[in-house]
Amino acid sequence: MQKIFKRVAILLAVMVSVVCLGVCLSACDGENDNTSGYSITVVYPDGKAVDGTKDGYFDLDENDKTVEVQICVVLANGETGRCFSTKKLDANGKATLDAPDYKLQKDEKFKIQINHIPQGYTYEYAYFTAPGSQTITLKNA
């Protein structure tokens, strides 16, 4: 009887391990699909990544060299509505923003704005209506 219980316990442990492995592999399939947020990469005109930890310019605090991105709502009339929390770019110019808890209305969209943009550069807003990835290339001012 003990041998049966031991075999059943081993079989259950193996089955649980296989299920856990399957869940982990499906969650980490090597793809960078961002279905629940907004993956932003910011690069210079030459394609080099903006170092979000040290390339920023903030005229109110010369010691703050971080570059941040932020999601804002663009209303149907074209004006900027509510903005959501910011996220700092990493040293590779990347940040992932969680999708805001906000339902877009007709003709509304989200825009990504860059805060503390490196001095001497400008950019065009990136627009989204659904989560995804986008690269923003800075332009010389």
Side-chain angles (χ1 to χ4, degrees):
M1 190 72 158
Q2 266 186 330
K3 285 184 178 184
I4 292 175
F5 284 125
K6 191 174 185 179
R7 287 182 181 168
V8 169
I10 291 172
L11 181 62
L12 285 175
V14 169
M15 288 174 51
V16 168
S17 297
V18 169
V19 170
C20 288
L21 180 62
V23 170
C24 289
L25 289 176
S26 67
C28 305
D29 63 0
E31 295 291 319
N32 195 12
D33 295 341
N34 186 10
T35 58
S36 63
Y38 300 84
S39 293
I40 308 301
T41 303
V42 182
V43 298
Y44 287 106
D46 65 1
K48 179 183 164 209
V50 171
D51 184 338
T53 65
K54 66 178 184 176
D55 289 353
Y57 174 73
F58 185 43
D59 59 354
L60 298 177
D61 182 358
E62 63 185 44
N63 295 319
D64 187 355
K65 303 293 185 190
T66 60
V67 181
E68 300 172 337
V69 290
Q70 183 174 29
I71 296 177
C72 295
V73 175
V74 178
L75 303 172
N77 65 6
E79 293 183 18
T80 299
R82 179 178 174 191
C83 289
F84 303 92
S85 62
T86 61
K87 183 86 177 243
K88 293 179 181 178
L89 291 178
D90 65 16
N92 298 313
K94 298 179 183 292
T96 300
L97 297 157
D98 293 331
D101 187 19
Y102 179 88
K103 182 169 175 39
L104 291 172
Q105 303 301 310
K106 185 176 193 258
D107 297 325
E108 289 183 342
K109 56 191 167 191
F110 292 123
K111 74 175 178 181
I112 304 297
Q113 68 181 32
I114 303 172
N115 302 326
H116 308 176
I117 187 169
Q119 194 169 16
Y121 293 93
T122 186
Y123 69 99
E124 293 182 13
Y125 294 117
Y127 296 97
F128 291 95
T129 54
S133 300
Q134 204 164 126
T135 297
I136 299 172
T137 302
L138 300 181
K139 297 178 180 185
N140 293 314

